[in-house]
């Protein structure tokens, strides 16, 4: 996979944006040159290899409220690779739908509410209810450890979604609200959280491919045309969103969990096979891929991703994010794949400072643990080296 700008000829389905491509507004200006030290990508610098499965729902995430027998079920799942990006805004949006629903006339601040799912959407749903004054919250999940929410990268940008155009405006507003939430933490203005978010440049090959243009002028500044100089003879023309937002998923999950426990939210480890297994009237479904069975939702699909944690790195060299898309292709198992290269300054808690950085990125719809496509790790490493101009 030799890196070439001509290779990047696809767009994620949700990017239905009428945007201006790179350079159209700045043809007479000289792009800023930024010196970037390439990351060390030798075998000894590659740590844990991770498979993850993003819960994408074809058509749009399910953010609805319905009456099911004696229960009122609110759904909040199917955000693909954008769960972290949208979670604070999505939780508030769905909770408001429930509270204002005609089915919730007897919902009071001390009415029992059960949230199914212990990932980032489940935790933010509980957090939002607490902020709205509700005080009888239980989170039920089969497991609270090693979830996809811990494994994800941390770039705040909508990726790996399938949004009907009619839903795009709502999704954009949810993303803007979530960005404001994270920004308040990064700027030390949030009343409850003081870390796990920081503002760093986010580099893309063009504005359209970033997914961030709906945020520009509302919560983000315009992207800049820049040239990344890696000091080895390789330079890349890019666009930079200098107010890009990086969220460290593991730290977020730990801090959010502790806050909820301090607020007396109950955590119950239990597998829920059907909604009637929950004895409360009000239920919030945040089960991600589990909703395919729990809610009998045939629109749910796994989007497999490959990530490698980096080690023996200098933290000061990783204070940025980059996302580049390559061509569509097929895996050896015959599954359609959208390949990319992304790198974020992710760091797991309780590990040494030099174990920083996560390298990704594949998007394989329909792949499961039975089709791990492990050969994609090598393809991904090759793409990263080609981008940086690292000789193998």
């Amino acid at each position: 996979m030799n890196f070439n700008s001509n290779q990047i000829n696809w767009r994620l389905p949700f990017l239905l944006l009428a945007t201006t491509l790179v350079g159209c507004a700045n043809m007479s200006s000289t792009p800023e040159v930024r010196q970037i030290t390439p990351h060390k990508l030798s075998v000894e610098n590659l740590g844990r290899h991770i498979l993850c499965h993003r819960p994408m729902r074809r058509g749009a995430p399910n953010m609805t409220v319905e009456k099911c027998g004696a229960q009122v079920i609110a759904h909040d799942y199917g955000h693909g690779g954008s769960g972290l990006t949208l979670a604070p805004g999505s939780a508030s949006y769905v909770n408001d739908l429930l509270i204002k629903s005609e089915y919730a006339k007897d919902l009071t601040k001390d009415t029992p509410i059960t949230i199914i799912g212990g990932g980032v959407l489940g935790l933010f749903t509980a957090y939002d209810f607490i902020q709205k004054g509700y005080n009888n919250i239980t989170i039920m999940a089969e497991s609270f450890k090693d979830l996809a929410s811990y494994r994800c990268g941390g770039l705040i940008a909508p990726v790996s979604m399938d949004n009907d155009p009619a839903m795009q405006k709502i999704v954009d507003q949810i993303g803007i609200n979530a960005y404001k939430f994270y920004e308040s933490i990064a700027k030390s203005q949030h009343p409850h959280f003081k870390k796990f978010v920081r503002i760093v440049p986010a580099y893309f090959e063009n504005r359209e491919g970033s997914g961030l243009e709906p945020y520009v002028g509302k919560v983000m500044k315009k992207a800049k045309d820049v040239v990344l100089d890696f000091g080895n003879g390789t330079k890349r023309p890019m666009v930079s969103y200098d107010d890009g937002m990086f969220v460290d998923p593991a730290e977020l999950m730990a801090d959010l969990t502790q806050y909820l426990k301090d607020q007396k939210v109950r955590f119950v480890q239990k597998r829920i096979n059907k909604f009637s297994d929950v004895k409360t009237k009000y239920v919030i479904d945040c089960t991600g891929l589990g909703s395919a069975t729990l809610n009998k939702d045939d629109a749910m699909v796994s989007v497999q991703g490959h990530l490698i944690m980096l080690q023996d790195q200098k933290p000061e060299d990783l204070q940025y994010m980059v996302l580049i898309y390559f061509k569509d292709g097929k895996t050896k198992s015959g599954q359609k794949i959208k390949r990319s290269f992304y790198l974020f300054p992710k760091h797991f808690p309780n590990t040494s400072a030099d174990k920083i950085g996560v390298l990704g990125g594949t998007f394989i719809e329909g792949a499961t643990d039975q089709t791990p496509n492990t050969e994609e790790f090598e393809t991904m490493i090759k793409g990263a080296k080609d981008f940086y101009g690292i000789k193998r």
Side-chain angles (χ1 to χ4, degrees), residues 61 136 193 204 253 308 333 390:
N136 195 348
F193 306 112
F204 301 85
M253 295 291 287
I308 301 175
S333 57
I390 297 174

Side-chain angles (χ1 to χ4, degrees), residues 21-147:
L21 296 181
V22 177
C24 293
N26 299 302
M27 293 180 66
S28 61
S29 61
T30 301
E32 174 189 350
V33 178
R34 298 185 179 181
Q35 305 295 324
I36 299 289
T37 302
H39 306 305
K40 293 181 282 187
L41 298 175
S42 299
V43 173
E44 61 269 20
N45 304 120
L46 306 177
R48 180 184 174 192
H49 289 46
I50 301 172
L51 274 180
C52 64
H53 296 276
R54 308 171 183 92
M56 188 183 81
R57 186 173 185 272
R58 292 192 174 98
N62 189 352
M63 298 182 290
T64 60
V65 177
E66 63 177 335
K67 186 84 182 300
C68 297
Q71 291 180 303
V72 179
I73 313 294
H75 301 284
D76 193 12
Y77 64 80
H79 302 70
S82 300
L84 192 72
T85 296
L86 301 176
S90 183
S92 182
Y93 175 81
V94 172
N95 287 355
D96 283 344
L97 285 182
L98 173 63
I99 292 166
K100 297 173 183 177
S101 167
E102 62 178 317
Y103 308 128
K105 293 180 180 179
D106 63 345
L107 178 64
T108 66
K109 295 298 175 70
D110 57 358
T111 299
I113 299 173
T114 301
I115 300 163
I116 310 175
V120 67
L121 281 160
L123 297 189
F124 268 118
T125 296
Y127 176 82
D128 183 72
F129 271 129
I130 293 295
Q131 304 318 300
K132 288 179 165 71
Y134 294 84
N135 55 44
N136 195 348
I137 310 296
T138 299
I139 302 176
M140 289 187 177
E142 183 176 8
S143 175
F144 292 100
K145 297 180 179 179
D146 200 28
L147 305 175

Side-chain angles (χ1 to χ4, degrees), residues 182-190 197-199 219 245:
Y182 289 129
E183 183 182 40
S184 70
I185 300 172
K187 293 183 175 180
S188 301
Q189 297 170 350
H190 198 277
V197 184
R198 60 185 180 273
I199 296 173
V219 289
M245 200 72 66

